[in-house]
Amino acid sequence: MDSLNAALLEVPDPPEEFGQDGGKFYRAYDALAGEIDEDLTTSLKEQLDGMLIFSKLCGFADHRLDDVQAGLFAGVNTAFLALTIPLLSADPSDDTNALLAQNNAILLQLAMGRNDSLPTDSALPSGEFSPSHDIFLVNALFALSLAFAIISSFLAVLGRQWLVYYRKRSGGGPDRQRWEQLKRFLGAKRWHLELILDDVLPFLLQIGLIIFCISLIIYLHHLSPSISIIVGVPLYIGLAIFLTSALCTLWDRFCPFHSPLSHFLAWGVQSSPAIFRSVSRTILSWLKPLRRKSVVWAQLQRLMSTIGREEEKMESLQIIALQRTICTSDDPTTLLYATSNILAITDPARLWLLWVDSGFRERFFVQFKNSPRLAPHFRGKDQNDIAGSVGRLYSATAAHCFLSLDSAWGDAIRWQEEILKFPREMIYISGDRLSEAPLILVRNTLSHLMLQFSLVVPSNETFEVFRGHLAKYSYMLERTDLRLLGLISWIVSEIPQMRKLNSPSIAGLRKAYKGSVHSIPFAHSAGLRKTLVTIAP
């Protein structure tokens, strides 16, 4: 793959603040978001184009096969209505025939010279006419079927207008357009735009088709019961196949027979318990306050105050952009840009919004697990260096997430296994690169190593290698980073315990990583000198 070529792949340095990486992450995100939105709108437009019934009236020049089929359905429906609607009223020819019969009777009596008993019955067939129950039902069903078809066509045109607004660019610079488009994406997701256009509207058209088949069978039964049976058998078989295919998707969600009905059935099965509990709590909560009118008025005021929703803040939009990028992108460079910006999220509350998403955790775990195995995929003489930089970035991000959040290790057994298996030689920053390495990367790679040692006590050989690297890292203290000073000081304080084969405390490591003053035993100038002397080779 060209994206994995060493000449094209760039391993970014973690920024100190979110998005302050020269716009690299934002440019990658804009390209990804544009591709996702374009795929969404294109697929929905194709779905809506296939539903439009009166393609000529809607002004579309391209008459697709689906449009012709939908137009044929509406035309056939209208043709049957033209046949059955006259049956709801009396036939004028019946009145004409009745009047002619009376005139013939009068003329016959006059010709015979008899005028004693002229017909006196002036009632016409139209006065006593009443349509049969079957004809009334057939016309009602045909009209209802046509109404569903027209409504689905109108909503399809309206849906195209919704998609135009969704993709419409607003004024302002790229930053404003980025966040406004993300708000539109969240609004479309919140109001289930894809569900409405992809499932609800086709379902309306399918309902209209089913109603038409039922009314056709009833009409044919009115004309000839035997013909209705001949036509009804294949229609019943088709309806049975439609229902069976929808039920098959409940048994196997990877069954290919998906339809709007199957989606509604799956949603109903999954949501019925929660809907029942929610409705029950709502009814009970409203019944209790009804004893006093003042409480009812307070409830109404509280309800009115909740009308309208507050827009997402910039911090939340940034987290959503990261989550969206990690979960959907397959481009290595884009994923690296997103991962490097995770290290810039220092607020645990914001980081928790990202980490609580199960899709993000699963995708990031796969990337973290596979990062040490990427070296054979990189081309060129620097493939090992690039693979090491990629693995170092993912290891630092994993340590950052676990130490910034109070995650329970008992719920993350597989994370422990992968942290232990991560190659230490990939975590260490070489001496020639150390002077240019960002402080945030230095802190987090040290933290990852200490996480490994907290799970399994290192051997003497591993400890000596770590001690030598720690001495090199100590020269980074000249850049006056208090958090790095606190972390190295805490590590030095734990060295005697590690020599006694005692694992470092994860709680202590977490406090030192967060920069807690109580966890820094050498957080002053004398301690700094003592730290440097202790870890010097």
Side-chain angles (χ1 to χ4, degrees):
M1 295 176 58
D2 292 338
S3 60
L4 294 179
N5 193 300
L8 300 178
L9 184 66
E10 177 185 1
V11 182
D13 291 330
E16 293 295 331
E17 296 183 9
F18 187 91
Q20 301 302 317
D21 56 355
K24 297 176 181 178
F25 167 69
Y26 284 146
R27 285 194 294 270
Y29 169 76
D30 291 341
L32 175 65
E35 181 181 353
I36 294 174
D37 291 340
E38 184 64 26
D39 290 343
L40 174 64
T41 54
T42 300
S43 62
L44 291 179
K45 283 180 180 179
E46 291 178 354
Q47 175 82 336
L48 296 177
D49 288 346
M51 288 180 52
L52 290 173
I53 299 177
F54 306 108
S55 56
K56 292 183 180 180
L57 295 179
C58 295
F60 293 104
D62 53 332
H63 302 290
R64 306 159 148 249
L65 178 61
D66 293 337
D67 294 328
V68 175
Q69 292 175 348
L72 179 63
F73 167 57
V76 172
N77 202 335
T78 306
F80 274 94
L81 273 176
L83 291 175
T84 57
I85 284 181
L87 300 179
L88 292 175
S89 58
D91 191 353
S93 61
D94 293 340
D95 290 348
T96 301
N97 294 333
L99 291 175
L100 290 175
Q102 291 181 12
N103 290 336
N104 291 335
I106 293 174
L107 292 176
L108 180 61
Q109 290 181 2
L110 292 176
M112 296 177 62
R114 299 174 55 188
N115 56 2
D116 53 343
S117 58
L118 295 177
T120 58
D121 187 10
S122 61
L124 296 177
S126 60
E128 299 177 354
F129 175 80
S130 177
S132 64
H133 176 73
D134 290 343
I135 293 300
F136 179 81
L137 180 60
V138 165
N139 280 274
L141 292 178
F142 275 141
L144 183 61
S145 173
L146 183 61
F148 271 105
I150 294 176
I151 290 174
S152 61
S153 179
F154 169 72
L155 293 180
V157 176
L158 188 61
R160 287 183 63 91
Q161 295 178 344
W162 295 343
L163 295 178
V164 169
Y165 167 76
Y166 178 77
R167 292 292 289 157
K168 185 177 181 181
R169 283 184 170 271
S170 59
D175 290 339
R176 178 180 177 183
Q177 293 181 8
R178 176 188 309 114
W179 302 126
E180 184 167 344
Q181 186 61 29
L182 181 55
K183 291 178 182 179
R184 290 179 182 177
F185 169 78
L186 295 175
K189 187 176 181 180
R190 185 166 52 248
W191 291 96
H192 307 288
L193 175 65
E194 188 175 6
L195 172 66
I196 293 174
L197 298 183
D198 205 24
D199 287 333
V200 176
L201 297 191
F203 191 53
L204 293 178
L205 189 60
Q206 292 175 3
I207 290 177
L209 183 59
I210 293 175
I211 294 176
F212 173 80
C213 294
I214 295 174
S215 57
L216 176 62
I217 294 175
I218 297 176
Y219 179 60
L220 292 177
H221 184 270
H222 176 76
L223 298 178
S224 173
S226 58
I227 295 179
S228 67
I229 294 176
I230 296 175
V231 176
V233 169
L235 294 180
Y236 289 139
I237 293 176
L239 181 60
I241 293 175
F242 175 66
L243 297 177
T244 304
S245 63
L247 294 175
C248 288
T249 58
L250 294 179
W251 177 260
D252 181 8
R253 66 188 184 94
F254 294 104
C255 176
F257 309 137
H258 283 268
S259 65
L261 177 60
S262 66
H263 296 165
F264 281 118
L265 290 176
W267 176 83
V269 171
Q270 296 174 1
S271 304
S272 55
I275 293 175
F276 177 77
R277 290 193 299 267
S278 178
V279 172
S280 302
R281 287 196 299 265
T282 303
I283 294 176
L284 293 176
S285 63
W286 277 95
L287 288 178
K288 292 180 180 179
L290 288 178
R291 299 175 182 177
R292 293 185 301 174
K293 295 183 178 180
S294 59
V295 178
V296 176
W297 177 249
Q299 291 276 8
L300 291 176
Q301 287 182 327
R302 190 179 301 109
L303 178 62
M304 294 298 294
S305 63
T306 59
I307 296 178
R309 62 178 303 276
E310 184 180 0
E311 292 188 2
E312 292 82 2
K313 297 181 180 180
M314 178 63 68
E315 293 78 6
S316 299
L317 293 176
Q318 292 173 345
I319 296 300
I320 295 172
L322 270 178
Q323 184 268 341
R324 192 180 183 191
T325 303
I326 294 292
C327 293
T328 58
S329 178
D330 290 326
D331 180 59
T333 303
T334 302
L335 293 172
L336 290 176
Y337 289 152
T339 304
S340 64
N341 277 271
I342 296 176
L343 291 172
I345 304 176
T346 57
D347 184 7
R350 293 180 60 197
L351 190 60
W352 176 251
L353 294 177
L354 183 66
W355 191 255
V356 74
D357 184 82
S358 59
F360 167 81
R361 289 200 311 271
E362 185 64 29
R363 185 68 191 281
F364 181 74
F365 174 78
V366 173
Q367 295 171 8
F368 169 72
K369 178 181 178 180
N370 296 332
S371 58
R373 307 177 181 91
L374 294 177
H377 299 281
F378 299 127
R379 302 172 186 174
K381 61 181 181 179
D382 297 331
Q383 60 178 5
N384 291 328
D385 292 340
I386 294 176
S389 300
V390 172
R392 195 176 301 116
L393 180 61
Y394 278 108
S395 67
T397 306
H400 174 65
C401 293
F402 268 86
L403 296 178
S404 298
L405 303 173
D406 296 330
S407 302
W409 284 96
D411 299 331
I413 301 299
R414 59 176 185 168
W415 277 98
Q416 298 181 38
E417 295 176 351
E418 294 303 323
I419 287 176
L420 284 173
K421 290 191 294 185
F422 206 91
R424 294 189 180 92
E425 62 275 6
M426 187 173 287
I427 302 176
Y428 290 122
I429 304 176
S430 59
D432 56 338
R433 296 178 179 269
L434 189 59
S435 59
E436 300 177 356
L439 291 174
I440 189 172
L441 189 62
V442 175
R443 290 198 307 266
N444 285 280
T445 51
L446 278 176
S447 301
H448 191 155
L449 291 168
M450 294 305 296
L451 276 176
Q452 290 184 337
F453 298 158
S454 65
L455 296 173
V456 175
V457 178
S459 62
N460 292 331
E461 181 181 357
T462 302
F463 179 78
E464 290 302 324
V465 173
F466 170 73
R467 185 169 176 269
H469 280 279
L470 185 62
K472 297 177 183 179
Y473 280 29
S474 65
Y475 291 104
M476 298 292 292
L477 295 175
E478 298 176 357
R479 296 165 66 173
T480 63
D481 183 76
L482 294 179
R483 293 186 62 184
L484 181 59
L485 168 63
L487 181 61
I488 293 181
S489 301
W490 178 84
I491 293 175
V492 172
S493 68
E494 292 292 322
I495 287 179
Q497 297 297 326
M498 295 170 61
R499 285 176 173 172
K500 297 178 181 179
L501 302 181
N502 293 326
S503 299
S505 168
I506 294 181
L509 174 60
R510 183 171 284 132
K511 291 181 180 180
Y513 179 79
K514 293 180 179 179
S516 175
V517 177
H518 300 288
S519 65
I520 303 176
F522 310 113
H524 46 79
S525 58
L528 174 60
R529 289 192 297 270
K530 182 179 179 181
T531 301
L532 293 174
V533 171
T534 305
I535 64 178

